[in-house]
Amino acid sequence: MNEIYIINDWLIKEFQKNVLVNTISTLPTLQIDTNISNIYPLVNLDLLDTDITESQISANYRITIVQQRDTKAQVTDNKLLVDTNYIDNVNETHSIAHKLLNKLLRDHNDLNIEILSQSTLRQLKDWSRNSLDGVQFELELSIPNAGTIC
């Protein structure tokens, strides 16, 4: 297995361990919400680019974590968003991201995968065609260059 495969496989396995995650995809970000059989919450890993140096290989991902918004069919003058599950969706998707980032920041892993950089978590509100809420961030991970090839 090469290093990019190892990083991708490790990310997928970490998200599979999370009981909140139902679907994991590896699509370009714009194609996330086109599959009607998705079961939310969904985590999408979009590999943007890679870099190879003598000592390490890095992989840049755009990670999108989304949950479908539900709206209660009731008339309300309340401005606190109690007629939707928006706050629940933000909490749930943020928790999924938080767990992965804590794992990378606090725990050593046997594969020596480390964070080189991470962006802030951008909030997605009523996003895409299925009214999705969630978070999106970019993450650059590195792994030692062992010189492995397929």
Side-chain angles (χ1 to χ4, degrees):
M1 291 185 288
N2 72 16
E3 288 84 353
I4 298 302
Y5 178 87
I6 292 169
I7 292 173
N8 207 59
D9 186 58
W10 184 85
L11 278 171
I12 289 169
K13 286 178 179 173
E14 286 304 310
F15 282 118
Q16 285 174 335
K17 291 177 191 175
N18 192 322
V19 296
L20 296 176
V21 176
N22 282 314
T23 304
I24 301 168
S25 61
T26 56
L27 298 168
T29 303
L30 294 175
Q31 295 178 13
I32 294 172
D33 199 24
T34 58
N35 186 350
I36 59 172
S37 65
N38 285 338
I39 300 173
Y40 297 95
L42 175 141
V43 173
N44 188 70
L45 307 172
D46 187 357
L47 179 61
L48 301 175
D49 55 45
T50 61
D51 187 32
I52 302 170
T53 67
E54 188 176 337
S55 62
Q56 71 181 12
I57 295 177
S58 64
N60 291 302
Y61 287 89
R62 177 172 295 126
I63 299 177
T64 308
I65 306 169
V66 289
Q67 173 63 290
Q68 198 164 26
R69 184 180 292 196
D70 298 325
T71 303
K72 298 175 189 167
Q74 65 185 28
V75 177
T76 180
D77 60 355
N78 192 327
K79 305 291 187 216
L80 298 176
L81 296 175
V82 294
D83 59 336
T84 70
N85 64 335
Y86 168 72
I87 299 299
D88 292 334
N89 289 352
V90 169
N91 182 52
E92 187 173 39
T93 57
H94 188 275
S95 176
I96 292 168
H98 187 206
K99 186 170 184 177
L100 174 76
L101 293 171
N102 274 347
K103 175 79 174 171
L104 284 162
L105 291 168
R106 295 182 178 167
D107 294 341
H108 172 74
N109 60 71
D110 293 336
L111 301 171
N112 294 319
I113 296 171
E114 297 179 352
I115 294 178
L116 290 182
S117 67
Q118 75 180 62
S119 69
T120 58
L121 273 62
R122 182 172 72 100
Q123 298 298 307
L124 303 175
K125 299 175 185 173
D126 204 14
W127 184 73
S128 199
R129 67 184 189 131
N130 280 323
S131 298
L132 303 175
D133 300 312
V135 295
Q136 185 178 74
F137 59 102
E138 294 194 11
L139 185 63
E140 183 178 13
L141 299 175
S142 71
I143 189 169
N145 184 349
T148 56
I149 57 173
C150 294

